[in-house]
């Protein structure tokens, strides 16, 4: 009976998969095709993967974007086919948001590919703010040297998406010279963008020297005390606690190393 039950479940699952695949290929309306695509993105079967990849060529930009975000299984099963489709979207799609999403997906799944680097560099020189910001964030993973170069050229840009992308690059790869940009950006962005920038600032500070961290703590204290929106204040408080924990951990490691030093150990004379 157990075997029969398992077989029945398997058959039902196959039937539902076939139904979803058929619905996506035959229906014309957006919502009638969105639901089956959503279900298929969770499946690893060949039919589901092929349908998700086909979704990258859909006539609806929103369905293309959903297919881009649902490529996890498709990348594992058919990486070259996925990469080819994403490269085509990144270069040629008429919708700038689709191009931006495709660029970011390429950096997520194929960061070491030379063709992906080229697309990211070209995207950073586009006209669309969305494509530029997506390309900058992608370059942070693909080629940090290019990312830092482009970030510097866009520092005077007022678009909030680009500001966030630059902060992301500096959080990943920046040095003490980039601290002023974070402070400037925190004073300029709106409350909804500020939460993300504070989080990135914390990531940035944890990689800097004590002088830069001290300057950053003053900024975070003002954020924690004075921001009108509670979740931004909470981001400031969380960042301060995170930095405090970092220093506690450093002290703990130093104390342990000191205890391990024995008379005559060369470390005692360093």
């Amino acid at each position: 009976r157990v075997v029969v039950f398992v077989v029945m479940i398997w058959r039902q699952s196959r039937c539902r998969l076939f139904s979803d695949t058929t619905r996506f290929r035959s229906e014309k309306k957006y919502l009638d095709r969105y639901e089956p695509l959503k279900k298929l993105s969770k499946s690893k079967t060949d039919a589901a993967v092929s349908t998700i990849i086909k979704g990258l060529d859909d006539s609806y930009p929103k369905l293309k974007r959903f297919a881009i975000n649902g490529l996890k299984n498709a990348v594992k099963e058919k990486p070259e086919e996925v990469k080819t489709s994403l490269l085509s979207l990144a270069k040629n799609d008429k919708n700038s948001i689709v191009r931006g999403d495709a660029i970011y997906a390429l950096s997520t799944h194929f960061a070491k590919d030379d063709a992906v680097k080229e697309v990211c560099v070209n995207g950073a020189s586009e006209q669309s703010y969305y494509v530029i910001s997506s390309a900058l964030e992608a370059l942070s993973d693909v080629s940090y040297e290019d990312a830092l170069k482009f970030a510097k050229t866009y520092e005077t840009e007022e678009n909030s998406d680009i500001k966030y992308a630059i902060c992301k690059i500096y959080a990943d790869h920046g040095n003490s010279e980039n601290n002023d940009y974070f402070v400037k950006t925190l004073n300029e962005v709106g409350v909804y963008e500020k939460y993300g920038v504070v989080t990135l600032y914390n990531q940035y500070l944890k990689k800097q020297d004590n002088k830069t961290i001290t300057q950053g703590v003053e900024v975070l204290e003002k954020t924690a005390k004075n921001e009108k929106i509670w979740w931004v204040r909470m981001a400031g408080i969380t960042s301060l606690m995170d930095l405090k924990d970092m220093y506690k951990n450093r002290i703990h490691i130093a104390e342990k190393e000191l205890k391990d030093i024995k008379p005559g150990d060369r470390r005692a004379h360093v």
Side-chain angles (χ1 to χ4, degrees), residues 80-92:
E80 288 303 315
E81 192 172 344
V82 171
K83 184 175 71 174
T84 299
S85 296
L86 287 175
L87 285 170
S88 178
L89 289 177
K91 296 175 182 178
N92 306 315

Side-chain angles (χ1 to χ4, degrees), residues 16-43 48 51-52 55 58 60 62-64 66-67 70:
R16 284 196 294 269
L17 176 62
F18 178 77
S19 175
D20 289 331
T21 304
T22 303
R23 281 182 62 197
F24 177 78
R25 295 177 183 274
S26 61
E27 297 288 352
K28 301 298 181 184
K29 294 181 179 180
Y30 169 77
L31 288 177
D32 291 336
R33 301 170 71 220
Y34 168 78
E35 287 299 331
L37 193 66
K38 182 179 179 181
K39 295 177 182 178
L40 291 168
S41 67
K42 301 176 183 178
S43 174
T51 305
I52 288 293
D58 198 85
Y60 288 97
K62 287 186 177 180
L63 282 179
K64 286 182 181 178
F66 183 84

